[in-house]
Amino acid sequence: MPFALTPERERELAEILTRYPTKMAACIPALHLCQEQHGYIDDDVVAWVSLRLDLPPAHVKGVVTFYTLFNQHKVGKHQLWVCRTLPCALRGAGEMLEYCEKKLGIKAGETTPDGKITLRTAECLASCGTAPMMQVDKDYHENLTPADVDKILERLQRS
Amino acid sequence: MLKQTNYLTKVYGLPEGWMLAAYEREARGYQAARKALTTMSPADVITEAKKANIRGRGGAGFPMGVKWSFMRPHPTKPAYLVINADEGEPGTHKDRTLMELNPHACIEGCIIGCYAIGAHAAYIYVRDELHLSKARLWGAIKEAKAKGYLGKNPFGKDYPVEVYVHTGAGAYICGEETSLLNSLEGKRGEPRLKPPFPAQAGAFGCPTTVNNLETIAAVPTAFNLGCEEFSKLSSIHHLNDGGVRLFGVNGHVKKPGVYECCVGLTLRELVYDLGGGLLDDKALHSIIPGGSSTPVLRADDIVDAPDEKSPLHAWHGKSVLDVPLGVDTFRNMGTMLGTCCATVMAEGTDPVACFHNLMQFYRHESCGQCTPCREGSGWLLRIAEKLMDGTCSMEELNTLHDVANGIMGNTICAFGEGTAMPALGYLKKFRKDFEAYVKGERTANDARLTVSNVWGQS
């Protein structure tokens, strides 16, 4: 079935369009709404967004491939981003990432076999004063210890 | 000079400090915007704003009032205010605290800014990862609208102002102002050539001012105090660097965090008095003064400014740790003030590992539009990787200079400099450490970044 936003998200998109003088400006917000619903951006989504916003599909595809946060492939139910950049690395982010990899049995960039968790590294998440940290879906978890990480991973695996 | 203040941060620790009630009760909320819109002309607002000597808080340090004065009314096109809250410079964690804990200061600043430059809409560009920041800003907008501070007639004045939050999708380059504008317009976040500057053709081809979030959030405080009084809070007011700002400290310190102080604080005060000194009371190895693009300083660096005309002359022969953190003082020291959030490294940290970590960042974030940056950032990372592998020759190490210099000045935006300058800075300040890797005296096993390891691995 071709992709379409749910009526609720379509209403949200209609409101977003009122904020800008052009339809094109809603491209990134629209893609976020689509990804929220579909999990990732495939060619069906690109086609829908380009029709909805009167944009060439190549433009939409170009935007999707430019930005790190748009998934071009199916990902796990939960996204776990470990910040790896210097200020976090100074506080043990490298070791924390290895710890997560060992606990989950996957490498950064991979998804657990049950499809629950995708583990990735992130570049600076503006949380340098509370390092090490990770982002789990929409939430930041800061000043992490091994016990904190154990709790987070257990919760995700149970969910 | 260490002088802590709480103009911007007074509501930080309060229960529901991010709500309008706390902002109005504790921080004279929306009085400055009311006064500006109901008693001053836009030209008066700009004249007054110039006196505040607010140097752009995003890293470049351009005087805010002067930037506002570049805006000229266009016969047919509207003007826009765009706020850069795409905070992503490694080591920088100040704007997020403002959005989460004092969002109303950001909104009030936008109202004053819009009025001054003739704009009726402001877009706050927030990186997508900061979900709480976005929610708090939208909450503040809703509250301000309900009170009649935003909308068709703010404070009863016939001057409509709307503020919107716009989100990116995870690209560091969108913190560059023209890239941010492209991203706002729904395009790939690739920087634009300047000129035209945003004041001539910015968002949607219209006259636009782009201000950093902390810059705009400081505006209500400046107007409440009187802009000249605000500027004089700084101990380097005479260098046209005024007011108070947020100082961040992170890395190997005991109390990392964000602290509000008068401009003119020194790195020594930031690290030892506010940051509580180094972990395990280790000695200081080096500091990145204001985000990873600002070249690193060694703990034993001394100021060399024999010229009496230099703004640094007063500190000639003294430690770099004792120079006030100012835009011009730091620029003359061969580094930059940047975002004023310092990353601190303790003795035992391997500078080549730091270099390697940062080159991975720049390689990942180069937008790929211009060749020198796209290829150069990859080349710099390859040199860093070869150093770590123990396969880098002395000749290749020396090419690092050429590669970095080949990027500088040859790219559309300042990302090129932001990549090359820290690379050259690390090589210049820690040449012996780099050579130790080339000679095989050190290997990746020595590439230590942490002070202590609680995670049970190597």
Side-chain angles (χ1 to χ4, degrees):
Chain A
M1 214 171 77
F3 176 83
L5 278 184
T6 60
E8 194 186 324
R9 291 200 176 89
E10 176 56 49
R11 271 195 297 280
E12 204 176 323
L13 179 58
E15 191 276 317
I16 287 169
L17 278 161
T18 66
R19 300 173 193 163
Y20 308 103
T22 65
K23 276 192 187 176
M24 189 195 278
C27 186
I28 293 172
L31 286 167
H32 278 306
L33 283 174
C34 295
Q35 181 160 292
E36 208 177 276
Q37 180 175 318
H38 195 61
Y40 65 109
I41 312 282
D42 58 15
D43 286 349
D44 283 352
V45 176
V46 169
W48 185 86
V49 172
S50 69
L51 269 178
R52 179 72 181 81
L53 300 179
D54 288 332
L55 296 168
H59 176 97
V60 180
K61 188 93 180 171
V63 170
V64 172
T65 53
F66 186 86
Y67 296 95
T68 318
L69 292 180
F70 291 130
N71 303 318
Q72 295 171 60
H73 305 283
K74 201 167 188 307
V75 289
K77 186 176 168 193
H78 299 289
Q79 311 298 305
L80 201 156
W81 301 86
V82 174
C83 175
R84 60 147 291 276
T85 323
L86 187 61
C88 273
L90 294 171
R91 308 282 293 202
E95 292 81 356
M96 184 173 85
L97 178 65
E98 278 180 40
Y99 186 83
C100 292
E101 287 179 333
K102 216 179 222 175
K103 280 239 153 189
L104 293 171
I106 51 171
K107 291 278 171 199
E110 296 174 352
T111 302
T112 51
D114 60 3
K116 274 193 179 160
I117 303 170
T118 300
L119 176 68
R120 280 184 279 199
T121 56
E123 297 296 346
C124 191
L125 289 171
S127 187
C128 320
T130 45
M133 64 83 64
M134 62 170 73
Q135 186 183 358
V136 181
D137 298 325
K138 290 189 171 184
D139 299 323
Y140 273 28
H141 298 267
E142 302 164 69
N143 292 314
L144 293 172
T145 63
D148 296 330
V149 173
D150 289 346
K151 263 189 231 154
I152 293 168
L153 296 184
E154 271 164 38
R155 182 173 58 78
L156 293 180
Q157 279 161 338
R158 267 204 317 268
S159 74
Chain B
M1 192 193 304
L2 174 61
K3 222 167 93 190
Q4 270 191 278
T5 56
N6 67 353
Y7 296 104
L8 289 164
T9 51
K10 195 168 183 192
V11 295
Y12 269 30
L14 302 178
E16 301 202 322
W18 57 88
M19 303 285 279
L20 183 61
Y23 186 57
E24 293 200 299
R25 191 179 65 238
E26 305 288 341
R28 298 168 69 181
Y30 291 95
Q31 287 181 25
R34 180 186 297 276
K35 190 178 158 208
L37 264 68
T38 57
T39 69
M40 298 166 83
S41 73
D44 290 344
V45 174
I46 292 181
T47 309
E48 178 71 7
K50 280 184 183 169
K51 294 181 197 157
N53 287 318
I54 298 177
R55 305 293 287 267
R57 307 301 199 218
F62 196 83
M64 180 201 74
V66 178
K67 198 184 235 186
W68 284 7
S69 70
F70 291 155
M71 293 289 280
R72 295 278 174 275
H74 191 279
T76 53
K77 291 176 176 174
Y80 292 105
L81 177 67
V82 174
I83 303 304
N84 186 345
D86 191 47
E87 182 165 62
E89 173 85 5
T92 307
H93 46 110
K94 63 184 181 64
D95 294 343
R96 188 180 140 224
T97 65
L98 279 169
M99 293 186 277
E100 288 181 1
L101 302 173
N102 194 5
H104 277 287
C106 312
I107 306 302
E108 187 179 3
C110 287
I111 299 172
I112 300 171
C114 276
Y115 182 64
I117 64 166
H120 294 287
Y123 295 101
I124 306 178
Y125 186 107
V126 185
R127 61 183 296 184
D128 186 57
E129 293 92 329
L130 302 179
H131 294 280
L132 182 60
S133 296
K134 288 183 285 180
R136 291 268 162 91
L137 285 171
W138 277 121
I141 291 169
K142 207 173 155 196
E143 279 191 299
K145 267 194 150 169
K147 276 272 194 165
Y149 301 160
L150 263 181
K152 285 210 167 85
N153 303 95
F155 311 103
K157 173 99 176 176
D158 184 22
Y159 189 92
V161 177
E162 295 289 347
V163 180
Y164 306 103
V165 178
H166 183 88
T167 65
Y172 165 76
I173 192 60
C174 290
E176 196 279 337
E177 64 175 6
T178 60
S179 161
L180 185 152
L181 294 172
N182 273 340
S183 184
L184 171 65
E185 291 179 14
K187 299 172 185 160
R188 291 165 69 89
E190 284 165 349
R192 302 173 181 171
L193 276 169
K194 293 192 267 191
F197 289 93
Q200 285 101 45
F204 310 106
C206 302
T208 302
T209 294
V210 185
N211 285 138
N212 169 261
L213 182 100
E214 189 196 340
T215 309
I216 208 77
V219 171
T221 299
F223 276 74
N224 276 327
L225 294 175
C227 286
E228 199 168 338
E229 287 310 304
F230 175 78
S231 177
K232 283 180 181 163
L233 288 171
S234 156
S235 66
I236 49 170
H237 161 73
H238 60 285
L239 294 173
N240 298 322
D241 203 337
V244 299
R245 67 185 294 167
L246 300 181
F247 292 83
V249 60
N250 57 74
H252 296 150
V253 288
K254 288 179 187 166
K255 293 192 294 175
V258 175
Y259 302 92
E260 182 192 321
C261 297
C262 295
V263 172
L265 185 79
T266 66
L267 279 174
R268 194 183 301 282
E269 289 159 344
L270 181 59
V271 174
Y272 291 96
D273 297 337
L274 297 173
L278 281 93
L279 291 172
D280 297 350
D281 292 316
K282 284 189 176 261
L284 179 66
H285 174 270
S286 52
I287 302 185
I288 299 174
S292 64
S293 300
T294 60
V296 63
L297 295 168
R298 287 173 65 112
D300 56 3
D301 275 347
I302 299 293
V303 179
D304 179 32
D307 183 359
E308 280 178 21
K309 283 184 199 138
S310 165
L312 269 182
H313 184 67
W315 295 277
H316 178 60
K318 291 185 181 160
S319 165
V320 291
L321 301 179
D322 294 316
V323 176
L325 283 151
V327 176
D328 298 316
T329 49
F330 269 58
R331 187 171 292 153
N332 280 278
M333 237 152 59
T335 182
M336 277 172 73
L337 179 65
T339 57
C340 237
C341 289
T343 302
V344 178
M345 273 77 56
E347 197 178 23
T349 310
D350 183 52
V352 184
C354 294
F355 166 78
H356 178 226
N357 183 295
L358 291 179
M359 290 308 117
Q360 289 175 66
F361 172 80
Y362 288 106
R363 175 61 188 150
H364 186 265
E365 299 299 335
S366 172
C367 83
Q369 187 179 199
C370 352
T371 312
C373 171
R374 182 183 63 239
E375 300 303 318
S377 60
W379 199 337
L380 290 174
L381 176 58
R382 280 198 300 280
I383 293 175
E385 283 170 347
K386 283 187 129 183
L387 281 162
M388 284 291 141
D389 293 346
T391 55
C392 183
S393 67
M394 202 59 90
E395 198 186 348
E396 267 181 304
L397 181 62
N398 288 328
T399 59
L400 202 154
H401 279 285
D402 297 336
V403 176
N405 283 315
I407 303 173
M408 279 217 273
N410 296 323
T411 53
I412 290 174
C413 81
F415 182 98
E417 279 79 22
T419 307
M421 285 193 321
L424 288 173
Y426 263 105
L427 184 60
K428 186 177 158 195
K429 296 282 166 81
F430 298 103
R431 174 95 203 179
K432 280 203 176 122
D433 297 88
F434 281 77
E435 287 183 357
Y437 273 87
V438 174
K439 291 175 188 160
E441 295 161 7
R442 232 188 270 176
T443 67
N445 292 333
D446 307 305
R448 200 178 160 78
L449 286 174
T450 51
V451 167
S452 59
N453 179 15
V454 296
W455 300 90
Q457 274 114 2
S458 59

